[in-house]
């Protein structure tokens, strides 16, 4: 990692930790991954559906007009039972083309931040509030 990238990453992490402190979080801890049975239970929604079932139900969703300008639905990726979830606003151009969240420029920074926490994209859950790219990224 280059010096400028480290400085940017350090500043982003510092700002994030300050935001956490300002909201009342006074410490962070890390617990090992739960046993398989707990992971399966955590991957289910309160109604008992799995993320895979929800994604299958979405299909080629046309429930709102955001679908008019998108190429691909951008569902979440990673571990649905993860202890860390990253939620963005909406997919950008690269995300719409690849069908994966946070793969553009912001995604590259996010990956570095995740790796700085000694995690991987596969061990966290990453998604957006909306699953289709908003017109003109607004």
């Amino acid at each position: 990692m280059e010096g400028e990238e480290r400085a940017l990453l350090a500043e982003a992490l510092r700002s994030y930790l300050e935001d956490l402190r300002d909201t009342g979080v006074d410490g962070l801890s890390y617990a090992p991954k739960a046993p398989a049975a707990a992971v399966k239970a955590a991957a289910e929604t309160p109604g008992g559906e799995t993320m895979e079932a929800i994604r299958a139900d979405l299909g080629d969703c046309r429930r709102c007009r955001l679908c008019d300008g998108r190429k691909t639905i951008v569902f979440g990726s990673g571990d649905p039972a993860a202890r860390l979830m990253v939620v963005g606003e909406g997919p950008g151009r690269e995300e719409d083309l690849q069908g994966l969240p946070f793969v553009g420029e912001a995604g590259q920074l996010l990956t570095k931040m995740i790796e700085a926490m000694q995690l991987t994209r596969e061990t966290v859950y990453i998604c957006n509030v909306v699953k289709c790219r908003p017109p003109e990224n607004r």
Side-chain angles (χ1 to χ4, degrees):
M1 188 181 309
E2 301 289 323
E4 185 177 315
E5 289 175 332
R6 280 190 196 145
L8 182 60
L9 179 59
E11 174 59 26
L13 286 171
R14 183 193 59 75
S15 176
Y16 176 70
L17 292 172
E18 286 176 353
D19 288 346
L20 285 175
R21 183 192 64 221
D22 293 345
T23 60
V25 175
D26 60 359
L28 299 175
S29 65
Y30 176 76
K33 193 156 180 151
V39 170
K40 182 178 187 286
E44 293 180 354
T45 65
E49 288 184 289
T50 64
M51 295 301 277
E52 292 82 14
I54 294 169
R55 176 62 185 101
D57 183 51
L58 278 177
D60 188 34
C61 180
R62 301 271 172 199
R63 294 175 177 112
C64 74
R65 294 189 339 182
L66 283 179
C67 69
D68 293 342
R70 65 134 160 100
K71 301 220 180 313
T72 310
I73 290 176
V74 180
F75 200 70
S77 68
D79 182 354
R83 293 179 48 100
L84 175 63
M85 180 177 185
V86 178
V87 182
E89 294 175 311
R93 180 181 174 279
E94 285 302 313
E95 290 77 11
D96 185 44
L97 292 172
Q98 295 184 41
L100 294 168
F102 284 91
V103 292
E105 190 174 325
Q108 293 171 13
L109 177 58
L110 175 62
T111 298
K112 290 176 184 176
M113 292 172 73
I114 290 169
E115 290 171 350
M117 293 184 279
Q118 299 180 341
L119 299 170
T120 65
R121 287 181 64 107
E122 293 76 25
T123 61
V124 301
Y125 192 73
I126 305 170
C127 65
N128 288 295
V129 173
V130 295
K131 307 302 178 214
C132 298
R133 181 180 184 204
E136 301 173 26
N137 276 352
R138 45 180 181 108

